[in-house]
């Protein structure tokens, strides 16, 4: 349905909800936000004209509740619904329900979503339309016996994929015959949980491949265009990390061919609105249809940057019945754009998702675009995707854009949950990335091989010394004060420390500038404080003269002296932890307990949740015997399944959780009585 509307309900959360609201308001539309209990104070809620609660934190009880979303539209007076991406955005039944309620769905027709949402059926349509596809099994027989036989015929490696899948959900890579059974079971279970549809397909893995996708738009008047391609090859666990436009491997002729195929794919299903046709490109430069995402993509800002167009505006205008604003010949491309996804995850521990309170969030002020839905004091909950922000740099060429993006990632300050900012900076500078030699599996290969950029960084010696200087005021982390909010000129590490008056003398600003005298109170020449950081434990003592704190303001900004130069940092206290942000790196110095204790992390008798999340499965019961390495339970958080295994053989003493239970990080799930 295409017709005018006045009020747009955004059926989503986080940065994409904020992004859609921004354009809608600019065009004069009233905006409605929806939220779960976990997002009650989120930015997308605060910036909307009206906000309506959907339900508890888990997506199944809030953002995926179709009845609750439609009721929110009715109560708020919304006459149009924008689904964003993820959640209900590619649910044909949701689009149909929106239309049946007399509302405008700002997206493609339900029939087009259904056609492309069935990945097997979509590939059959593409083959009929002449769009090249990779070999695979698309049949209706879903028995394990048939899937196993088809896998043997296709050969390895191959992908097991959810027929109704998207966003990397319900997908498993099989390299060895013995992995197939677990891949089928895992993909089917995840697909049923995420999409309510456990059907699977098989696809021959094209090794050494790149992921290149084409942005398309179609209107209700039978016209369709493409807006060029995006390269999304840098992925971990089949999910994107960095995207750029244009692709560094696509030339003019290849762009025209892929664009033609993408437009043909959209027209083949009667498409309307924004969509993305994804291709895999082999080492010889041949492209094969992967799938079509029938929604706006996370990475749409790089297309906006090189075209100068607002894709959400196009979506709104097309949904209102207007024709496409430009013809194919009128679309122009300028420069190069790169987007990096800031994830709340630990790239040095298998990309484990992270949750928790945001203590400090200051995006870079470097003339680049940062889309986010974060707020200081807010929470990163375990129920949704791990992406918390997108950094987008546009430059005159690829090198220009990459340099600007690395700088912005170094300048941004996010303290709280662990994140991947340092990893992103190092990836963007890696020769394989700058030389356009990445493949879709390269990051996972690096993780398995222990590539240096995936090894946990350790604080440089100077940062340990800075920590000692900041903690030197009284020998206790408490000297920093909660949140670093009350200045105290008399103590290093407490509020504002005034610089040495001698530094005001211009004659002392020469290269031979001597370090300022110590700014610690007299009598504190030694500090004995046991601190843990990045897996290392040290006893901190007063630093040598090479490191001096010159100024520490009430906002935690530190000016410090090291190696003959003044440097900048950010210091923030949270309980017994001192967070230091130095040159874009975040290090947490936690005061070690003086009391002896048990290392529960290495206690084989206790299986604990590795992160906050939801229990997906419990495979054991009290009284059952288990072997070392046997799977006990599975916790799902932020699109990732994490299995807990028995650390040793024994008897299950107790089970403390059931499927669908929310759990905190470190929660005890299964207790074992170990064999002697």
């Amino acid at each position: 349905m295409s017709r005018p509307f006045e009020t747009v309900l955004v059926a989503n959360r986080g940065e994409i909800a904020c992004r859609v609201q921004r354009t809608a308001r600019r065009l004069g539309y009233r905006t409605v936000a929806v939220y779960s209990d976990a997002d009650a104070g989120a930015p997308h809620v605060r910036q909307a004209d009206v906000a309506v609660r959907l339900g508890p934190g888990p997506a199944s009880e809030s953002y995926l509740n179709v009845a609750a979303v439609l009721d929110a539209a009715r109560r708020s007076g919304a006459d149009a619904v924008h689904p964003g991406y993820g959640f209900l955005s590619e649910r044909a039944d949701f689009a149909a329900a929106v239309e049946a309620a007399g509302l405008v769905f700002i997206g493609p027709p339900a029939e087009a979503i259904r056609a492309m949402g069935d990945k097997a059926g979509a590939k059959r349509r593409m083959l009929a339309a002449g769009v090249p596809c990779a070999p695979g099994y698309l049949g209706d027989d879903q028995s394990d016996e048939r899937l196993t036989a088809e896998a043997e015929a296709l050969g390895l490696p191959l992908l097991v994929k959810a027929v109704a899948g998207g966003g990397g959900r319900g997908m498993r890579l099989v390299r060895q015959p013995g992995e197939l059974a677990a891949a089928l079971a895992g993909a089917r279970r995840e697909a049923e949980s995420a999409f309510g549809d456990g059907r699977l397909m098989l696809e021959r893995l094209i090794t050494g491949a790149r992921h290149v996708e084409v942005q398309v738009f179609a209107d209700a008047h039978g016209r369709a265009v493409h807006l060029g391609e995006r390269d999304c090859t840098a992925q971990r666990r089949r999910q994107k990390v960095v995207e750029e436009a244009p692709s560094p491997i696509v030339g003019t002729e290849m762009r025209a061919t892929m664009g033609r195929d993408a437009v043909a794919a959209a027209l083949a299903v009667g498409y309307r609105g924004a969509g993305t046709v994804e291709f895999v490109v082999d080492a010889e430069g041949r492209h094969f249809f992967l799938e079509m995402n029938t929604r706006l993509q996370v990475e749409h800002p790089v297309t906006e940057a090189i075209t100068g167009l607002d894709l959400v505006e196009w979506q709104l205008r097309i949904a209102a019945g207007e024709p496409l604003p430009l013809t194919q010949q009128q679309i122009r491309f300028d420069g190069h754009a790169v987007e990096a996804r800031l994830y709340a995850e630990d790239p040095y521990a298998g990309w484990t998702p992270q949750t928790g309170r945001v203590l400090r969030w200051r995006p870079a002020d470097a003339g680049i675009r940062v889309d986010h839905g974060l707020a200081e004091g807010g929470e990163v909950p375990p129920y949704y995707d791990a992406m918390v922000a997108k950094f987008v740099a546009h430059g005159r060429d690829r090198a220009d854009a990459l340099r600007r993006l690395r700088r912005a990632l170094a300048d941004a300050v996010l303290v709280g949950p662990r994140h991947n900012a340092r990893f992103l900076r190092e990836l963007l500078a890696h020769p394989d990335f700058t030389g356009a030699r990445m493949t879709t599996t390269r990051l996972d290969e690096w993780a398995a091989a222990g590539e240096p950029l995936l090894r946990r960084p350790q604080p440089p010696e100077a940062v340990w010394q800075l920590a000692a200087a900041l903690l030197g005021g009284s020998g206790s982390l408490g000297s920093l004060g909660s949140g670093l909010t009350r200045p105290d000129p008399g103590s290093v590490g407490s509020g504002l420390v005034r610089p040495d008056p001698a530094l005001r003398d211009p004659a002392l600003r020469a290269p031979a500038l001597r370090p300022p005298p110590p700014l610690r109170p007299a009598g504190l020449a030694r500090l004995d404080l046991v601190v843990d950081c990045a897996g290392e434990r040290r006893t901190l003592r007063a630093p040598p003269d090479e490191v001096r704190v010159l100024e520490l303001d009430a906002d935690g900004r530190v000016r410090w002296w090291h190696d003959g130069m003044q440097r900048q940092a950010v210091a923030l206290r949270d309980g017994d932890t001192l967070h230091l942000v130095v040159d874009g790196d975040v290090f947490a110095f936690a005061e070690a307990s003086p009391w002896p204790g048990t290392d529960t992390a290495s206690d084989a008798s206790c299986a604990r949740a590795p992160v906050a999340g939801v229990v997906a499965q419990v495979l054991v019961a009290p009284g059952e015997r288990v072997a070392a390495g046997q799977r006990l339970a599975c916790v799902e958080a932020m699109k990732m399944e994490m299995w807990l295994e028995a650390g040793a053989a024994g008897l299950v003493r107790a089970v403390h959780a059931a499927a669908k239970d929310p759990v905190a990080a470190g929660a005890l799930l299964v207790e074992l009585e170990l064999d002697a």
Side-chain angles (χ1 to χ4, degrees):
M1 181 189 301
S2 296
R3 58 178 173 78
F5 47 88
E6 295 291 333
T7 301
V8 177
L9 181 147
V10 184
N12 219 292
R13 64 178 298 275
E15 64 87 14
I16 187 56
C18 294
R19 159 75 193 96
V20 173
Q21 290 173 2
R22 202 160 52 240
T23 291
R25 290 179 66 87
R26 178 174 63 80
L27 295 179
Y29 293 106
R30 179 171 172 263
T31 60
V32 178
V34 291
Y35 64 92
S36 70
D37 291 344
D39 285 336
H44 81 275
V45 174
R46 297 201 302 267
Q47 76 177 35
D49 294 301
V50 177
V52 182
R53 177 186 179 271
L54 294 177
S60 61
E61 301 176 50
S62 52
Y63 296 106
L64 293 175
N65 187 332
V66 174
V69 172
L70 294 179
D71 183 62
R74 178 188 59 78
R75 293 165 56 197
S76 64
D79 50 359
V81 175
H82 192 301
Y85 54 70
F87 293 135
L88 297 169
S89 63
E90 294 185 278
R91 297 277 186 93
D93 58 347
F94 177 61
V98 169
E99 298 282 1
L103 310 174
V104 174
F105 182 70
I106 305 174
E111 296 77 14
I113 297 176
R114 191 171 291 110
M116 285 300 191
D118 184 324
K119 306 305 180 188
K123 292 189 77 171
R124 295 190 196 100
R125 285 175 178 261
M126 295 305 100
L127 289 169
V131 179
C133 297
Y137 171 67
L138 313 173
D140 295 328
D141 186 343
Q142 291 288 298
S143 66
D144 282 359
E145 294 77 12
R146 180 60 182 273
L147 290 168
T148 300
E150 293 291 343
E152 292 173 352
L154 279 172
L156 300 178
L158 60 78
L159 292 171
V160 176
K161 302 174 69 173
V163 167
R169 306 301 303 271
M171 184 184 300
R172 296 292 188 276
L173 172 62
V174 179
R175 293 190 178 277
Q176 303 295 331
E179 300 171 352
L180 181 61
L184 293 174
R188 185 178 286 118
R189 180 179 61 252
E190 189 174 15
E192 288 173 344
S193 173
F195 313 113
D197 185 343
R199 291 177 300 145
L200 303 176
M201 57 182 280
L202 305 177
E203 184 174 275
R204 185 75 165 89
L205 180 68
I206 298 175
T207 57
R210 294 187 73 94
H211 179 118
V212 181
E213 61 189 32
V214 178
Q215 176 72 61
V216 296
F217 262 93
D219 61 22
H221 308 283
R223 297 172 53 207
V225 297
H226 73 83
L227 303 182
E229 83 284 352
R230 297 184 289 255
D231 196 305
C232 310
T233 299
Q235 304 178 9
R236 87 285 188 269
R237 302 195 322 267
R238 315 299 298 182
Q239 293 185 346
K240 301 164 186 174
V241 176
V242 176
E243 304 97 349
E244 58 185 310
S247 169
I249 66 159
V250 174
T252 303
E253 183 177 346
M254 184 176 178
R255 180 171 299 114
T257 302
M258 295 182 72
R260 184 185 65 241
D261 285 343
V263 168
L267 293 175
V269 294
Y271 204 76
R272 184 182 70 234
T276 298
V277 181
E278 299 191 338
F279 296 99
V280 60
V281 179
D282 68 13
E284 286 73 43
R286 297 172 299 185
H287 64 280
F288 302 92
F289 175 81
L290 192 60
E291 64 183 14
M292 184 176 187
N293 293 131
T294 53
R295 52 172 168 80
L296 197 67
Q297 291 279 83
V298 174
E299 56 272 20
H300 76 274
V302 294
T303 297
E304 294 184 322
I306 66 167
T307 61
L309 304 172
D310 184 330
L311 301 196
V312 173
E313 178 177 345
W314 276 39
Q315 285 186 296
L316 294 170
R317 293 194 181 282
I318 289 170
E322 297 182 23
L324 284 168
L326 299 174
T327 66
Q328 190 68 63
Q329 292 71 29
Q330 292 173 317
I331 295 167
R332 297 287 182 267
F333 305 109
D334 175 47
H336 199 97
V338 187
E339 173 182 290
R341 300 189 186 192
L342 188 68
Y343 284 111
E345 67 180 12
D346 187 349
Y348 313 111
W351 323 103
T352 310
Q354 305 290 303
T355 61
R357 188 161 60 94
V358 178
L359 305 176
R360 178 65 52 86
W361 169 236
R362 305 293 164 84
D365 183 17
I368 74 161
R369 173 175 171 175
V370 181
D371 287 4
H372 70 92
L374 288 174
E376 285 188 7
E379 294 281 332
V380 175
Y383 309 111
Y384 318 119
D385 190 89
M387 191 188 76
V388 295
K390 304 183 307 195
F391 287 67
V392 187
H394 182 220
R396 63 180 180 272
D397 55 28
R398 190 170 186 254
D400 190 34
L402 288 174
R403 183 180 63 253
R404 298 185 66 200
L405 185 54
R406 290 194 298 267
R407 176 73 262 174
L409 287 166
D411 287 346
V413 176
L414 175 57
V415 179
R418 284 177 170 170
H419 54 80
N420 66 335
R422 177 188 174 120
F423 163 74
L424 288 171
R425 297 199 317 272
E426 294 189 341
L427 171 61
L428 294 170
H430 194 283
D432 280 8
F433 189 91
T434 59
R437 294 189 296 271
M438 297 294 292
T439 67
T440 56
T441 59
R442 185 64 52 84
L443 293 184
D444 295 323
E445 292 164 0
W446 284 350
E451 182 78 7
L453 87 168
L454 283 167
R455 298 175 191 163
R456 187 175 304 283
Q458 299 297 314
E461 186 60 33
V463 176
W464 282 103
Q465 294 174 9
L466 175 60
L470 289 169
L471 297 170
S474 67
S476 168
L477 286 172
S479 66
L480 284 172
S482 179
L484 301 173
T485 55
R486 287 188 61 83
D488 179 4
S491 172
V492 173
S494 294
L496 177 65
V497 178
R498 302 188 185 281
D500 186 343
L503 292 178
R504 301 192 185 101
D505 184 352
L508 295 180
R509 298 191 187 124
L513 178 64
R514 68 176 184 270
L519 296 183
R520 294 187 305 277
L524 288 178
R526 179 180 176 84
L527 166 66
D528 289 333
L529 186 67
V530 181
V531 172
D532 292 320
C533 182
E536 183 177 356
R537 175 168 292 191
R538 284 195 187 186
T539 299
L540 295 186
R541 291 182 169 83
D545 289 344
E546 286 78 11
V547 172
R548 288 288 173 261
V549 174
L550 305 178
E551 188 175 23
L552 172 61
D553 70 15
D555 201 37
R557 291 186 295 267
V558 180
R559 191 164 54 86
W560 60 299
W561 173 284
H562 173 249
D563 196 23
M565 294 178 285
Q566 294 187 32
R567 301 176 183 272
Q568 305 290 328
V570 173
L572 189 68
R573 174 199 162 189
D574 182 41
D576 286 339
T577 300
L578 169 67
H579 298 272
L580 283 180
V581 186
V582 183
D583 296 329
D585 294 333
V586 183
F587 298 104
F589 296 85
E591 186 172 359
S593 171
W595 308 106
T598 302
D599 183 3
T600 58
S602 59
D603 184 355
S605 68
C606 298
R608 299 178 180 274
V611 296
V614 176
V615 177
Q617 284 191 95
V618 176
L619 301 183
V620 295
E624 183 178 335
R625 289 203 57 80
V626 295
Q630 181 176 332
R631 288 183 166 184
L632 306 175
C634 177
V635 175
E636 183 177 5
M638 298 176 169
K639 289 189 176 183
M640 185 176 180
E641 286 187 342
M642 287 152 282
W643 283 95
L644 286 71
E645 299 177 345
L651 191 72
V652 177
R653 179 188 303 158
V655 175
H656 298 283
K660 298 186 179 181
D661 285 353
V663 292
L668 180 60
L669 303 186
V670 180
E671 287 185 81
L672 300 179
E673 183 176 323
L674 304 182
D675 292 347

